[in-house]
Amino acid sequence: MRHIDEDTITQAVIARHTAAQDARLREVMTSLVQHLHAFAREVRLTDGEWLKGIRFLAECGRLCSDRRQEFVLLSDTLGLSMLVTALNHRKPSGCTEATTARPFHDGDAPCSDTRAETPLAGTEPLYVRGRVCALDGAPVAGAEVRIRHSEENNTLTSAADGTFQFKCPVPAPHTIPHDGPVGRMLQALGRHPWRPAHLHFMISAPGYERLVTHVFRSGSTYLDSDAVFGVRRSLEAEWVRQEPGPTPDGLTSDLPFYTLEFAFVLNTTKGDTPWMPMQ
Amino acid sequence: MRHIDEDTITQAVIARHTAAQDARLREVMTSLVQHLHAFAREVRLTDGEWLKGIRFLAECGRLCSDRRQEFVLLSDTLGLSMLVTALNHRKPSGCTEATTARPFHDGDAPCSDTRAETPLAGTEPLYVRGRVCALDGAPVAGAEVRIRHSEENNTLTSAADGTFQFKCPVPAPHTIPHDGPVGRMLQALGRHPWRPAHLHFMISAPGYERLVTHVFRSGSTYLDSDAVFGVRRSLEAEWVRQEPGPTPDGLTSDLPFYTLEFAFVLNTTKGDTPWMPMQ
């Protein structure tokens, strides 16, 4: 294929991959090249736009560290992360739906100011009571429950009746990191960087598909415009305001507080691949 | 759009861009999101493959500097650079065709060992005589001619008859930088990193479209498998071997040498955008 022009180049690139030993890699790259080229043709991408794109990617790369992954942000804000999650975690009706795993991707280090989703936690405490169960309602004991809220990670284990409990500051809406190229992209697109109030959960138990999900606060701002497209109706829950008095941990509060109950219904599985942190 | 799933997410992302003030940006991003999502759906991209992709991009980013641009390499080796060039520089038949501009994208610094296309220049000299002309054959005097060969850049100006001349070591096939993630990608795809022997030219003259192109050595290895898909038949030329004797610069050579003649036919234009170096 010596003479290559705008009509023949896509086939020329694909034809170059026939020697790839990994058939799946060949399949993925063939589709990638076809769509990349189709995009350039469809919009008739200019030299200057191409160059802007190259510079944008390089700037994303410069920001990446073990504290921040700008390409994950890019994938999240373009809806790719949520699409991949949806494609890979189809579940029987009744199981708790999965969402993007972003905050679990950065080696689980607590947020720092520079990389963080910016938490705006309220001062009232939220008492959470979760219950891990199977699709038939049977409790799942001994499940590992990783939680991320505001600036902390916790790991708990579900009890014999499948329950786990913890207390955290009431989460508020917060922004994804938006001081980099992805933030500028959102701004140019007329989009905000906010996420509705939520908690993150990753729940693992032998014999079940690992569940990575959120629980969103019902009625929170930004439920209709989550910057990373993570909201699913089934994951909204009422965070119930309680007057001062006895709290779920057996103590007493002089201030109002909130309670949240949520059942996490796991899907059975043939076995997950090990969890791969980002770095 | 509160409930997002694998069927609704693409439309949800696109709908979020209606507030973008720049209509062209909206157009480009709409197409980009559609093709990105179509790719993920078509191959049913797995969580692990998504993560490999994120890591690949981050690694490309880590290599980028003012000495190297791994994302340009990626674009080149996936045929995107050449496609964008072809889309933006359609010319009337008879004009010299354009190719990718890669070596002119790095601030024009001469190659260093770390970032360089690896030259394997022969020891014999090549005497090049170019001629810059319009489509009707009229010479273009005073054109700025930037040349890149082996490890050097030169800038010349065309004479009253449109000609320019220079001498350089005979270029040989060479590799693109392949010690990074793009090199590993090529290897996994069963591809080599070589380019056929060539010279680079960038020719600018008032009233004409800037021409960025190569001249390839006729018969060179890798003409059929250029790693960056830059070869066009019209850009191949005979590099004629001459026996020892008088050389085009009026001197005498005791060794054999090569001569090359090539006419660069410029397209008229309404005016180019300024050339934008990569950094």
Side-chain angles (χ1 to χ4, degrees), chain B residues 64-92:
Chain B
C64 287
S65 68
D66 55 357
R67 313 287 298 163
R68 178 154 174 171
Q69 234 303 354
E70 195 78 358
F71 290 111
V72 173
L73 273 186
L74 182 60
S75 168
D76 289 352
T77 52
L78 296 184
L80 180 65
S81 307
M82 199 55 204
L83 174 60
V84 170
T85 296
L87 289 170
N88 286 283
H89 301 281
R90 293 168 179 159
K91 298 168 196 282

Side-chain angles (χ1 to χ4, degrees), chain B residues 77-174:
Chain B
T77 52
L78 296 184
L80 180 65
S81 307
M82 199 55 204
L83 174 60
V84 170
T85 296
L87 289 170
N88 286 283
H89 301 281
R90 293 168 179 159
K91 298 168 196 282
S93 171
C95 287
T96 302
E97 292 181 288
T99 59
T100 61
R102 209 185 80 69
F104 292 113
H105 267 309
D106 300 304
D108 287 327
C111 292
S112 76
D113 282 342
T114 54
R115 113 182 200 288
E117 298 187 358
T118 311
L120 286 177
T123 49
E124 298 106 334
L126 170 67
Y127 293 85
V128 180
R129 184 171 181 279
R131 181 166 173 273
V132 188
C133 61
L135 197 47
D136 64 3
V140 175
E144 184 193 86
V145 181
R146 291 165 71 181
I147 301 144
R148 188 179 175 108
H149 58 81
S150 55
E151 304 200 358
E152 277 189 76
N153 294 300
N154 287 128
T155 303
L156 305 172
T157 304
S158 64
D161 63 353
T163 62
F164 62 88
Q165 306 187 46
F166 64 96
K167 174 186 165 186
C168 65
V170 170
H174 60 230

Side-chain angles (χ1 to χ4, degrees), chain A residues 196-242:
Chain A
H198 64 272
L199 295 163
H200 295 273
F201 295 87
M202 178 155 66
I203 302 181
S204 313
Y208 296 93
E209 181 184 345
R210 183 179 44 235
L211 172 65
V212 180
T213 198
H214 296 42
V215 176
F216 294 93
R217 181 176 187 170
S218 196
S220 174
T221 331
Y222 308 117
L223 276 175
D224 286 329
S225 60
D226 180 9
V228 306
F229 305 95
V231 178
R232 287 163 175 272
R233 251 187 234 110
S234 66
L235 301 176
E236 292 175 32
E238 207 66 47
W239 303 13
V240 185
R241 186 183 160 96
Q242 312 283 353

Side-chain angles (χ1 to χ4, degrees), chain A residues 2 6 24 31 37 42-45 47 49-50 55 75 78 87-90 226 231 236 277, chain B residues 2 6 16 24 31 37 42-45 47 49-50 55 75 78 87-90 231 236 277:
Chain A
R2 182 168 303 193
E6 67 181 85
R24 173 62 177 168
S31 176
H37 287 203
E42 188 171 293
V43 301
R44 201 155 166 187
L45 197 69
D47 291 336
E49 289 164 346
W50 172 86
R55 284 175 172 157
S75 167
L78 296 183
L87 289 170
N88 286 284
H89 301 281
R90 293 167 179 160
D226 180 9
V231 178
E236 292 175 32
Chain B
R2 183 168 303 193
E6 67 181 86
R16 204 69 69 80
R24 172 64 177 167
S31 175
H37 287 202
E42 188 171 293
V43 302
R44 201 153 166 189
L45 197 68
D47 291 335
E49 289 164 347
W50 172 86
R55 285 175 172 157
S75 168
L78 296 184
L87 289 170
N88 286 283
H89 301 281
R90 293 168 179 159
V231 178
E236 292 176 32

Side-chain angles (χ1 to χ4, degrees), chain A residues 8 16 37 39 50 70 84 96 103 123 157 183 198 236 246 256 270:
Chain A
T8 61
R16 203 69 70 79
H37 287 203
F39 155 67
W50 172 86
E70 195 78 0
V84 170
T96 301
T123 49
T157 304
H198 64 272
E236 292 175 32
K270 300 171 287 299

